[in-house]
Amino acid sequence: IGFPRWQLGETRPHVLRGSLKRSHQLLKELAKRKGGQFFVVPVDPVALNLPDYFQVVGDPLDIGTVEKALEAGFYSYDYGGVPGNERLAYDVDLVFANAVLYNPPGNIVSDSAAELRAYASEQFAKIFAEESAEGAPAGWMCGRQLVMDDYRFLDAKGRVVLPQLLLQRGTEGALVEGNLQPTVSAPGAPAAGANGAHAIRVSGLHFSVVDGKDGAEVQVWARSVAADAWVLLHKPSADWAGHAAGWLYNQAVCEVAKRYAAENPHNLQYDKMLRTLVKSTCPKAIPPAGEDRVKKALAESAEYLAVCLEHVAQAESSKQSQRENSKLAKRLLEEAEKDRASDAFAKLGVAGGKGTPAGKDAVSVCSALCAAVSEVELGATRAAYEAAQQELKAM
């Protein structure tokens, strides 16, 4: 239901009165009650190893984020005829509903969420009854999810940053610029309009795979530095779309490859992974074209995916699984270097081809250069990956 100024790091004093003041006290109480510690900060699917979290939970929210919004005046106005206090009550309920949805029954988080949800509902009913006696208007409740359309990434100086550089250099100092708009999730709620162009400083990216009509598609989530919250990046801007299309497909390939590695920790085969990627990411393509597209994506993203597999290997307790991940990462890099060397040789246009003395020398030079470039990119990607992990852990 709109995008508050506090989300962009701008704060302003706000005095809470009436039901909002009592609701503010309730939020603090919820955080202190048994199990409340699970809901005071945004869920971090990277740190908690929950790769499917954003696929299951479409509208993530937490008590801390709701409290910041309340203190900044986000719930102090009506939107579309919906009183602010009811928007607040719905968002609090959404926090616990998400936990019940994602976690199985009997889980401590799910059980705590159910208990706190019931308590919050009871307390909000009392707050509304008190305000109703004071003559406050009635209405329905609605929630929201933060979504950005027409997005593109910029550096600290406002220059456009190409997608592949985000993976090599990390998100330090990066901005994502676009139109922020809410998505109404309550049944029967009126649609909300776009909230205008904003730029958000990014502290991390998260990718999740969903099944699309043409195969697996990747969703990109950016984490706001100021608000410590995730924003779904929906559609790239026109001037960034050409770069983003290939980047998003490559990310989909990488995410499916990581899922394959996680599901087959003791038997990782490059050829089997290749078939899985073709089937998942381009099921409608003619077989040779589909395999070529996947190989191209793997070659362009080899260092990134290799680093991801290295970290998977480090997290595995099984020595066999560690060896399998390391072996697959090595094979990815070798295949990428071969493809790059072949492309570089083709661009040289050496007369007589690879069989001639000049051709053999050119092949050696291309292979050496591609190996050196790959090593540099691998080091940069490792550093960026480590930096991103440290940033997320520090939040």
Side-chain angles (χ1 to χ4, degrees), residues 99-119:
V100 172
L101 173 65
Y102 186 80
N103 297 281
N107 177 283
I108 185 173
V109 176
S110 178
D111 289 349
S112 298
E115 291 177 7
L116 291 172
R117 186 182 191 184
Y119 179 77

Side-chain angles (χ1 to χ4, degrees), residues 127-384:
I127 291 173
F128 291 161
E130 292 173 3
E131 187 160 73
S132 179
E134 298 168 4
W140 44 266
M141 297 175 280
C142 58
R144 52 91 183 97
Q145 176 187 43
L146 301 178
V147 180
M148 178 176 279
D149 282 332
D150 296 325
Y151 71 86
R152 60 178 183 168
F153 284 88
L154 309 173
D155 62 16
K157 296 182 179 180
R159 297 172 299 194
V160 175
V161 179
L162 297 182
Q164 55 269 32
L165 293 181
L166 289 172
L167 301 181
Q168 294 172 348
R169 300 177 182 176
T171 56
E172 184 177 358
L175 301 170
V176 61
E177 179 186 66
N179 292 320
L180 282 162
Q181 58 182 21
T183 354
V184 176
S185 57
N195 206 45
H198 294 283
I200 301 172
R201 191 156 64 90
V202 178
S203 63
L205 297 175
H206 175 76
F207 304 97
S208 60
V209 174
V210 296
D211 293 327
K213 61 180 181 179
D214 296 320
E217 298 176 358
V218 70
Q219 287 185 332
V220 186
W221 298 77
R223 189 157 193 156
S224 164
V225 171
D228 193 21
W230 292 93
V231 180
L232 174 63
L233 305 183
H234 187 222
K235 295 178 181 178
S237 63
D239 63 339
W240 214 67
H243 304 294
W247 175 58
L248 292 175
Y249 178 75
N250 289 359
Q251 284 302 313
V253 168
C254 289
E255 293 304 309
V256 174
K258 288 192 285 183
R259 186 168 63 189
Y260 166 80
E263 293 173 352
N264 303 275
H266 303 299
N267 185 28
L268 297 180
Q269 301 176 23
Y270 177 82
D271 293 336
K272 185 177 180 181
M273 182 189 72
L274 197 62
R275 293 193 295 271
T276 300
L277 293 175
V278 173
K279 183 178 179 180
S280 298
T281 64
C282 47
K284 295 183 180 180
I286 299 173
E291 186 170 311
D292 289 345
R293 188 183 184 193
V294 168
K295 285 183 175 180
K296 181 175 184 293
L298 289 175
E300 292 176 349
S301 310
E303 286 77 20
Y304 169 74
L305 185 52
V307 169
C308 291
L309 291 174
E310 288 175 2
H311 280 262
V312 171
Q314 292 172 8
E316 289 287 345
S317 57
S318 166
K319 294 294 184 182
Q320 181 185 352
S321 180
Q322 292 177 359
R323 288 194 297 271
E324 290 289 328
N325 277 278
S326 298
K327 185 171 66 175
L328 182 58
K330 183 179 179 181
R331 176 71 185 275
L332 283 167
L333 293 172
E334 290 173 348
E335 294 294 331
E337 289 175 18
K338 289 179 185 177
D339 288 344
R340 294 167 185 171
S342 179
D343 289 344
F345 179 83
K347 291 177 181 177
L348 287 175
V350 177
K354 295 182 180 180
T356 64
K360 292 179 181 178
D361 290 341
V363 169
S364 298
V365 171
C366 289
S367 297
L369 285 174
C370 288
V373 170
S374 179
E375 190 62 30
V376 172
E377 290 190 357
L378 193 60
T381 305
R382 283 195 185 108

